[in-house]
Amino acid sequence: MSLRGIYGGTFDPIHLGHLRTAWEVAVTIDMPVHMVLARTPPHRDQPSAGPEHRWAMLNLALEGQQRLHPDDRELRRQGRSYMIDTVDSFSEQYGGVPCLILGQDAATGLDRWHRWRELLDRVHLVIMTRPGGHDLPVAPELGDLLNEREVAGPAQLRRSEGPALWRCQVSALEISATAIRLQLLQGSLPRYQVPGKVLNYIRKHALYRAESRI
Ligand code: ATP
């Protein structure tokens, strides 16, 4: 069965940690990956940069390649960005079971997501792990469900009839959007952490400075 990945985030800003890991998952599983920009994430602080800036930066970052696709369906929807609505919209558009790609930190908190049990029945999960990384503690009900669904590799994921989970090892890149915003706020340049075009965009629009909360 053909697979399609959903890699959601506030991308505030998009950085090489997001891009490298998304690319590795896309290549390893051999599937297109949609980088879905969250407008108003329900589970965390609201983004610093406005959605139009984050969308522009995402597009700049993804220029010139075929595997990763900028996806604005959450921007086009009114109200809060719930993943279950995004997943339903993918299934409607493309058919099949989408693969929800998450970092381990995000996977640990899945049981706080809106209608999480239903969500997990409608997706395959791809949890990105890092070499030498440790399993983070999860609540027992979520932990049991994840263990039951785990498969050994991308081939099994592709063949799975029901929702499955595969842990995909990706490179560890200690880059974080929070640290990038802090560097910009303090007047230093986060070189080699975001694509050059994104850094130019941030400078041109004076994003993430104290006076530019948009
Ligand atoms: P912030 O610092 O603003 O919280 P973030 O990058 O963690 O930024 P998002 O943009 O919402 O927040 O992240 C989207 C996804 O990217 C999440 O699943 C997160 O686990 C993953 N991610 C973020 N940084 C990295 C990284 N350096 N390596 C791998 N995955 C990452």
Side-chain angles (χ1 to χ4, degrees):
M1 201 204 301
S2 73
L3 294 175
R4 187 171 292 274
I6 299 175
Y7 190 121
T10 49
F11 305 136
D12 189 24
I14 182 87
H15 58 64
L16 298 183
H18 300 128
L19 293 163
R20 172 81 185 262
T21 52
W23 181 260
E24 288 182 358
V25 171
V27 170
T28 308
I29 304 185
D30 192 19
M31 65 175 177
V33 168
H34 291 243
M35 308 290 287
V36 178
L37 185 68
R39 183 169 47 145
T40 50
H43 309 283
R44 46 169 296 163
D45 293 345
Q46 294 307 305
S48 287
E52 66 292 345
H53 284 311
R54 290 181 289 119
W55 176 244
M57 290 189 280
L58 182 59
N59 278 278
L60 286 173
L62 298 183
E63 266 176 12
Q65 52 75 47
Q66 301 295 322
R67 288 184 184 271
L68 308 179
H69 306 281
D71 196 303
D72 67 349
R73 72 191 62 219
E74 292 191 359
L75 297 189
R76 289 186 271 112
R77 224 168 46 220
Q78 292 306 308
R80 296 185 129 198
S81 307
Y82 290 119
M83 185 50 80
I84 192 158
D85 300 326
T86 301
V87 162
D88 286 348
S89 134
F90 266 91
S91 306
E92 218 166 273
Q93 184 173 354
Y94 299 107
V97 179
C99 291
L100 180 58
I101 303 165
L102 296 173
Q104 241 184 345
D105 50 340
T108 306
L110 265 173
D111 53 352
R112 292 192 297 273
W113 290 27
H114 185 57
R115 294 162 60 198
W116 70 273
R117 291 182 194 80
E118 280 170 82
L119 170 66
L120 295 192
D121 283 342
R122 296 182 198 182
V123 291
H124 294 313
L125 277 182
V126 173
I127 300 183
M128 299 182 288
T129 62
R130 302 163 183 211
H134 300 289
D135 275 353
L136 298 170
V138 291
E141 191 189 351
L142 175 61
D144 289 347
L145 196 140
L146 298 184
N147 289 338
E148 274 164 27
R149 294 184 179 178
E150 185 154 0
V151 296
Q156 289 89 334
L157 191 68
R158 206 170 277 282
R159 282 201 300 268
S160 173
E161 302 266 322
L165 173 165
W166 181 52
R167 293 180 201 274
C168 180
Q169 198 170 97
V170 294
S171 304
L173 286 176
E174 291 308 324
I175 301 178
S176 101
T178 303
I180 290 171
R181 292 194 299 274
L182 191 63
Q183 289 167 56
L184 287 159
L185 191 65
Q186 292 169 342
S188 64
L189 272 189
R191 260 192 214 291
Y192 312 122
Q193 299 174 59
V194 298
K197 285 179 184 170
V198 171
L199 190 54
N200 290 342
Y201 186 96
I202 290 172
R203 297 174 76 179
K204 181 171 168 202
H205 295 273
L207 300 182
Y208 307 114
R209 295 196 186 158
E211 68 278 14
S212 73
R213 214 181 149 83
I214 306 165

